[in-house]
């Protein structure tokens, strides 16, 4: 049987039971009245005791059936009762009633006068007729009942020797056959009616189920994240709103951001990335008491609500979450691992709307990630101020070039040999309204929001243009700071070429300064860019040397031309700075690169660096960064020697001799 046939059968059985029990009271009452009438109307000493015993038996049976009907009507009727069981229970009472009547009639036909017999036959025949309708909901019971009531006694009469009784028997048998056929037809008709009624019901139900399935699918599509199966942004916000509306207790929102995910996604591939996201989501699910309050916010970010939690509790759980998320993942080909940084915002302490709460947790995560990855940070008002400031800068920075708020200043770099200017480092300045925003503040914002590409291209173009216009006997070099993000850009070399061709500045007069953070990036891309720059005779220096992750072997492999010792070492010349610079000088001579010391502020420092053999010096001791319009007058004041900065390798050779 198919599922819809089973369902149809179930409905029909329930309806049949309802019909049978619905007619039961009248059937039982008629049986009781008829039985009492027949037993107590005719007085015959021969049969009285049997009839009374029979009456007692029949009454008990009918009372039991009545109790069953009452139970059904009061307890079962309005429940999801099992139709088949109910029908069986009902016919278990009806069929013995039929047998009782059959026994009674057989007994009466044996001992009774024709008047009592005739009346009994008529009464029982009437009941058999009634049963065709009353029991029509169960075909075999209806047929059995109609047949059993009259036929055994009628057959007995048919076999008797008296002609009148034979006739009566014939009449009874004929009536039984007619009733059998009528019961069958009536039952078939009832069954058909029930079938039609319930067929529609099943169809409607099936349609409802389909609609429900579709609705569920649509719900899943619009509310669940297809990759992880977690709720998506929209659904999460809806659920969070209900928490805001109902929660009277404080709760915490965690902003969870995976660390190192991008690297896996970029280097190993999106499939591996997807695996990590799925597995991380599964781990988070294990911890979430209410999955409605856990979502994939986007990319490798997840949000989770911790109900009824204070700061201490939230930090504690977050630390455990980080530990769990940091456990290695066994994927098909390898074992991969990521970390997680979590930002916490508390309701109502930090925010009273869902948007603000999410934003606060996001901020806490963002600032925490800057401090230390794979740790937990809780939102503070200070972050909010910083964020607002950053946002203000970011918005203003997008229009800074257009509004001509950016300009370049140039700081001279001098040769330690003769104190003559060899090059200028380009430093970016931004004047927003009346405020000078320091580059340390806005460069990282430009990097974060992708504005560095446009700004960096402008710097390169303008620096080359300015350098090409310097009126100096000697061709001075211009050093341009380039961020790692720019260097990774596939258009970077084109941008450099455009800057050179636009200004007609020869490649050897351009130096590119990159920070040590390049070593954390994809070294094959970096190496490729550096080689392309060097084929154009552009020199490359490592800026802020000693502060980050310099790798000497990479410096050698990349054939870096110069290294700029960070000013922190120069300022610490009296302590361990001296030893460090001296060590760098040794490496420089063996790896064949030039050394520039930054942040030279005093004559003593300059002399000490000179003694150590540092090739070039830069700092306030020589000059602060100079405005464009003052460069020419600055250059005329100082005498530029023949030996220029870009003859660096020659100089190294000379120094070695
Ligand atoms: P940097 O490349 O290390 O630049 C040197 C910084 O040290 C400059 O600060 C300069 O003004 C300062 N300085 C020079 N001599 C001395 C000195 O004797 N004592 C002290 N205390 N400081 C000295 P500035 O101009 O504020 O630049 C800060 C940083 O901003 C730069 O550090 C560089 O990393 C970044 N930057 C500046 N312009 C650009 C640019 O055009 N592109 C990129 N990507 N970064 C830039
Ligand atoms: Ca620099
Ligand atoms: Ca530097």
């Amino acid at each position: 049987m198919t599922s819809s046939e089973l369902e149809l059968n179930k409905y029909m059985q329930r309806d049949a039971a309802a019909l049978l029990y619905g007619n039961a009271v009248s059937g039982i009452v008629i049986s009781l009245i008829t039985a009492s009438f027949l037993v107590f109307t005719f007085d015959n000493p021969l049969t009285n005791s049997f009839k009374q015993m029979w009456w007692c038996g029949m009454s008990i049976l009918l009372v039991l059936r009545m109790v069953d009907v009452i139970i059904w009507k009061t307890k079962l009727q309005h429940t999801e009762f099992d139709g088949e069981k109910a029908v069986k229970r009902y016919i278990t009472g009806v069929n013995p009633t039929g047998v009782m009547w059959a026994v009674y009639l057989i007994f009466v036909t044996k001992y009774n006068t024709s008047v009592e017999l005739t009346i009994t036959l008529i009464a029982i025949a009437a009941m058999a007729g009634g049963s065709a309708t009353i029991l029509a909901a169960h075909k075999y019971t209806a047929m059995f009942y109609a047949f059993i009531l009259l036929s055994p006694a009628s057959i007995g009469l048919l076999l008797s020797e008296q002609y009148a009784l034979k006739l009566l028997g014939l009449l009874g048998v004929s009536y039984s056959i007619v009733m059998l056929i009528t019961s069958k037809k009536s039952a078939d008709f009832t069954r058909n009616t029930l079938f039609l009624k319930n067929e529609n019901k099943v169809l409607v139900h099936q349609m409802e189920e389909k609609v429900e399935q579709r609705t569920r699918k649509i719900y899943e599509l619009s509310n669940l994240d297809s990759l992880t199966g977690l709720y998506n942004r929209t659904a999460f916000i809806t659920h969070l709103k209900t928490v805001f509306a109902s929660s009277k207790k404080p709760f915490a929102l965690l902003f969870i951001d995976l660390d190192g995910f991008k690297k896996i996604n970029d280097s190993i591939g999106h499939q591996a990335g997807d695996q990590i996201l799925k597995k991380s989501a599964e781990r988070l699910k294990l911890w979430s008491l209410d999955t409605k309050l856990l979502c994939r916010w986007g990319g490798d970010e997840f949000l989770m609500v911790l109900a009824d939690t204070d700061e201490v509790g939230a930090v504690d759980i977050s630390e455990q979450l980080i530990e769990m998320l940091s456990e290695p993942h066994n994927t098909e080909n390898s074992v991969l691992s990521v970390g997680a940084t979590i930002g916490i915002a508390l309701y109502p302490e930090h925010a009273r709307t869902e948007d603000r709460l999410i934003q606060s947790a996001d901020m806490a995560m963002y600032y925490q990630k800057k401090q230390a990855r794979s740790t937990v940070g809780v939102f503070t008002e200070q972050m909010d101020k910083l964020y607002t400031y950053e946002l203000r800068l970011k918005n203003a920075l997008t229009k800074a070039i257009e509004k001509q708020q950016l300009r370049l200043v140039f700081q001279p770099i001098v040769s330690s040999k003769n104190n003559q200017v060899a090059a200028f480092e380009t430093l970016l300045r931004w004047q927003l309204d009346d405020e000078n925003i320091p580059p340390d503040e806005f460069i990282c914002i430009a990097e974060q929001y992708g504005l560095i590409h446009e700004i960096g291209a402008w710097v390169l173009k303008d620096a080359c243009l300015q350098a090409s216009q310097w009126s100096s006997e000697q061709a001075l070099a211009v050093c341009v700071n380039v961020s790692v993000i720019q260097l990774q850009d596939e258009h970077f070399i084109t941008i450099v070429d455009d800057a050179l061709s636009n200004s007609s500045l020869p490649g050897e007069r351009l130096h590119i300064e990159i920070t040590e953070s390049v070593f954390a990036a994809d070294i094959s891309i970096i190496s490729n860019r550096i080689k392309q720059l060097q084929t154009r005779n552009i020199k490359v220096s490592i800026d802020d040397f000693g502060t980050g992750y310099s790798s000497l072997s990479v410096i050698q492999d990349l054939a870096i031309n110069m290294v700029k010792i960070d000013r922190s070492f120069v300022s610490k010349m009296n302590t361990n700075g001296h030893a460090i610079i001296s060590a760098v000088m040794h490496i420089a001579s063996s790896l064949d690169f030039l050394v520039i010391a930054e942040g030279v502020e005093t004559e003593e420092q300059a002399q000490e660096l000179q003694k150590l053999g540092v090739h070039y010096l830069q700092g306030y001791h020589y000059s602060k960064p100079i405005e464009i319009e003052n460069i020419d007058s600055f250059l005329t004041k100082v005498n530029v020697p023949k030996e220029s900065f870009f003859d660096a390798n020659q100089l190294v050779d000379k120094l070695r001799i």
Side-chain angles (χ1 to χ4, degrees):
M1 243 197 248
T2 63
S3 66
S4 56
E5 280 169 347
L6 275 172
E7 197 186 355
L8 180 60
N9 190 46
K10 197 178 106 193
Y11 286 136
M12 285 174 66
Q13 292 276 12
R14 280 172 59 87
D15 277 357
L19 272 178
L20 290 170
Y21 274 103
N23 292 328
V25 175
S26 50
I28 292 168
V29 170
I30 287 169
S31 287
L32 195 63
I33 292 172
T34 313
S36 307
F37 169 76
L38 292 176
V39 168
F40 299 111
T41 308
F42 305 100
D43 184 32
N44 183 342
L46 258 180
T47 57
N48 274 356
S49 63
F50 167 79
K51 278 164 66 175
Q52 278 155 15
M53 264 169 57
W54 177 89
W55 184 84
C56 285
M58 186 60 142
S59 299
I60 291 170
L61 182 61
L62 292 176
V63 167
L64 286 176
R65 283 183 57 199
M66 194 55 120
V67 170
D68 178 43
V69 173
I70 291 167
I71 292 174
W72 190 84
K73 290 217 175 211
T74 54
K75 297 223 163 126
L76 283 175
Q77 194 176 10
H78 302 294
T79 63
E80 281 292 311
F81 67 90
D82 180 343
E84 198 179 337
K85 252 192 189 166
V87 168
K88 273 190 188 150
R89 219 168 94 175
Y90 184 80
I91 61 174
T92 312
V94 172
N95 288 328
T97 315
V99 173
M100 284 292 276
W101 278 120
V103 169
Y104 183 82
L105 196 57
I106 291 168
F107 188 80
V108 170
T109 50
K110 225 173 169 185
Y111 295 101
N112 276 309
T113 60
S114 54
V115 177
E116 184 185 350
L117 180 62
T118 315
I119 289 173
T120 307
L121 265 174
I122 291 168
I124 293 179
M127 280 201 307
S131 72
T133 328
I134 287 181
L135 299 173
H138 194 265
K139 187 169 158 183
Y140 298 113
T141 304
M143 288 169 70
F144 174 76
Y145 201 86
F147 187 73
I148 198 79
L149 251 58
L150 279 177
S151 51
S154 302
I155 292 166
L157 285 173
L158 207 57
L159 298 175
S160 85
E161 274 147 28
Q162 283 186 44
Y163 180 68
L165 292 182
K166 258 189 201 291
L167 263 182
L168 214 53
L170 187 66
L171 201 67
V173 169
S174 315
Y175 188 79
S176 290
I177 293 168
V178 171
M179 279 336 298
L180 196 70
I181 296 166
T182 313
S183 300
K184 183 184 173 296
K185 280 193 175 161
S186 168
D188 284 345
F189 180 78
T190 308
R191 192 181 156 76
N192 253 342
T193 316
L194 291 184
F195 178 83
L196 287 175
K197 177 192 161 207
N198 287 300
E199 193 188 30
N200 278 342
K201 198 168 163 183
V202 169
L203 283 175
V204 169
H205 190 239
Q206 278 175 348
M207 257 163 71
E208 278 172 356
E209 256 189 2
K210 271 203 180 128
V211 170
E212 202 191 305
Q213 271 174 9
R214 293 245 168 93
T215 318
R216 208 180 307 132
K217 193 90 202 144
I218 291 168
Y219 175 81
E220 282 177 5
L221 281 175
S222 58
N223 286 277
L224 298 184
D225 167 51
S226 58
L227 178 70
T228 59
L230 297 183
Y231 283 95
N232 60 20
R233 264 177 191 236
T234 331
F236 180 81
I237 291 179
T238 313
H239 297 149
L240 191 60
K241 276 187 179 149
T242 60
V243 178
F244 264 87
S246 62
S247 180
K248 300 210 165 37
K249 290 183 179 163
F251 64 88
L253 177 74
L254 312 189
F255 198 108
I256 306 161
D257 188 285
L258 300 183
D259 300 324
F261 171 77
K262 199 176 168 316
K263 207 164 183 179
I264 290 181
N265 215 29
D266 292 348
S267 56
I268 304 181
H270 289 268
Q271 266 182 338
D274 285 355
Q275 285 291 316
I276 297 281
L277 289 176
K278 269 193 210 168
K279 291 189 174 188
S280 303
E282 276 164 25
R283 290 180 185 181
L284 288 172
K285 249 189 227 171
L286 291 177
W287 273 77
S288 171
L289 294 176
D290 182 356
T291 49
K292 277 203 189 92
L293 295 172
L294 167 66
C295 83
R296 180 174 173 214
W297 187 244
D300 59 349
E301 298 164 343
F302 302 90
L303 294 191
M304 188 193 270
V305 169
L306 296 178
D308 200 5
T309 316
D310 62 3
E311 185 176 325
V312 178
V315 169
D316 184 43
I317 291 180
S318 298
E319 280 167 353
Q320 294 181 51
L321 282 176
I322 293 172
E323 202 175 307
M324 179 195 65
L325 289 169
S326 309
E327 272 171 30
H329 297 274
N330 289 310
T331 59
E332 270 172 35
N333 304 319
S334 51
V335 180
L336 301 171
S337 49
V338 288
T341 303
I342 299 183
I344 300 173
L346 301 164
Y347 169 86
E349 201 181 321
H350 298 144
R352 287 185 174 272
T353 66
E354 56 280 357
D355 287 349
R356 283 291 296 165
L357 194 70
I358 295 172
Q359 200 184 35
S360 306
D362 187 1
M363 258 183 247
M365 187 283 295
Y366 171 80
Y367 286 106
Q368 194 58 33
K369 200 163 243 192
K370 277 191 183 178
Q371 308 259 307
R373 287 167 152 241
S374 294
T375 51
V376 190
V378 182
F379 175 79
T380 60
E381 291 301 322
Q382 187 59 25
M383 287 176 186
D384 202 17
K385 284 188 192 125
L386 260 170
Y387 185 72
T388 316
Y389 177 67
E390 263 191 39
L391 222 58
R392 189 185 136 234
L393 290 195
K394 179 215 135 190
N395 291 333
L397 200 53
T398 49
K399 295 176 213 126
I401 297 180
E402 186 192 321
K403 289 192 170 175
Q404 299 187 327
Q405 293 169 341
L406 295 177
R407 70 179 199 284
L408 298 180
V409 290
F410 298 88
Q411 189 177 31
I413 297 172
V414 304
S415 161
S416 64
K417 244 176 108 192
N418 53 18
N419 280 359
Q420 297 298 308
V421 178
F424 283 99
E425 176 177 3
T426 310
L427 294 161
L428 188 55
R429 295 291 175 260
W430 179 23
Q431 190 167 1
L432 176 62
D433 305 324
D434 292 330
E435 204 182 346
N436 283 314
I437 315 286
D440 283 332
E441 270 178 27
F442 71 82
I443 294 287
C444 60
I445 293 175
E447 287 177 342
Q448 258 161 43
Y449 296 97
L451 306 170
I452 195 70
H453 297 284
E454 196 192 349
I455 293 174
W458 178 84
V459 171
L460 265 164
K461 195 174 164 197
D462 202 43
C464 292
L465 202 63
Q466 297 302 332
S468 70
Q469 290 165 11
W470 289 331
S471 56
S472 152
E473 278 179 35
Q474 200 58 46
L476 296 168
V478 65
C479 308
V480 178
N481 292 289
V482 162
S483 101
V484 183
I485 299 173
Q486 283 174 270
L487 201 64
Q488 283 170 320
D489 183 0
E490 54 179 326
H491 305 297
F492 179 68
I493 298 296
T494 319
I495 290 166
V496 172
D497 284 343
D498 287 351
L500 290 177
S501 63
N502 179 61
S503 60
S504 309
L505 190 81
E508 54 269 33
R509 286 186 59 197
L510 176 62
H511 294 181
I512 297 289
E513 293 190 7
I514 50 181
T515 59
E516 284 182 307
S517 55
V518 287
F519 300 115
D522 185 343
I523 209 72
S524 66
I525 295 179
I526 303 293
S527 158
N528 174 279
R529 299 280 189 277
I530 290 178
K531 288 208 172 83
Q532 282 184 281
L533 290 173
Q534 288 170 333
T535 55
R536 288 158 174 78
N537 292 326
I538 299 168
K539 297 208 161 47
V540 177
S541 47
I542 298 292
D543 205 354
D544 306 336
F545 186 80
T547 56
Y549 355 41
S550 275
S551 149
L552 290 172
S553 64
V554 179
I555 289 187
Q556 191 178 26
D557 291 347
L558 297 182
I560 293 296
N561 306 95
M562 280 162 275
V563 154
K564 294 186 85 171
I565 297 177
D566 191 68
R567 68 167 175 269
S568 57
F569 300 106
V570 174
S571 67
K572 284 188 286 190
M573 286 274 281
N574 296 334
T575 55
N576 58 352
H578 192 281
I580 292 169
I581 299 170
S582 158
V584 173
M585 292 319 295
H586 273 102
I587 303 165
S589 62
S590 55
L591 294 188
D592 213 14
F593 56 77
L594 285 173
V595 179
I596 302 164
E598 294 183 295
V600 183
E601 293 183 348
T602 64
E603 179 57 29
E604 294 75 54
Q605 287 171 343
Q607 281 178 10
E608 202 56 49
L609 291 162
Q610 238 166 343
K611 270 192 225 156
L612 283 168
V614 174
H615 311 108
Y616 292 96
L617 308 169
Q618 176 184 3
Y620 295 166
H621 175 59
Y622 300 99
S623 168
K624 287 208 166 178
I626 305 166
E627 296 291 337
I628 292 170
E629 58 272 22
N630 299 332
I631 290 208
D632 281 345
S633 61
F634 175 81
L635 283 174
T636 48
K637 264 191 252 159
V638 292
N639 183 20
V640 181
K642 284 266 178 291
E643 182 192 283
S644 84
F645 191 48
F646 54 86
D647 292 319
N649 292 329
Q650 261 176 301
L651 190 77
V652 170
D653 290 341
K654 270 191 227 158
L655 284 166
R656 279 210 193 106
I657 298 160

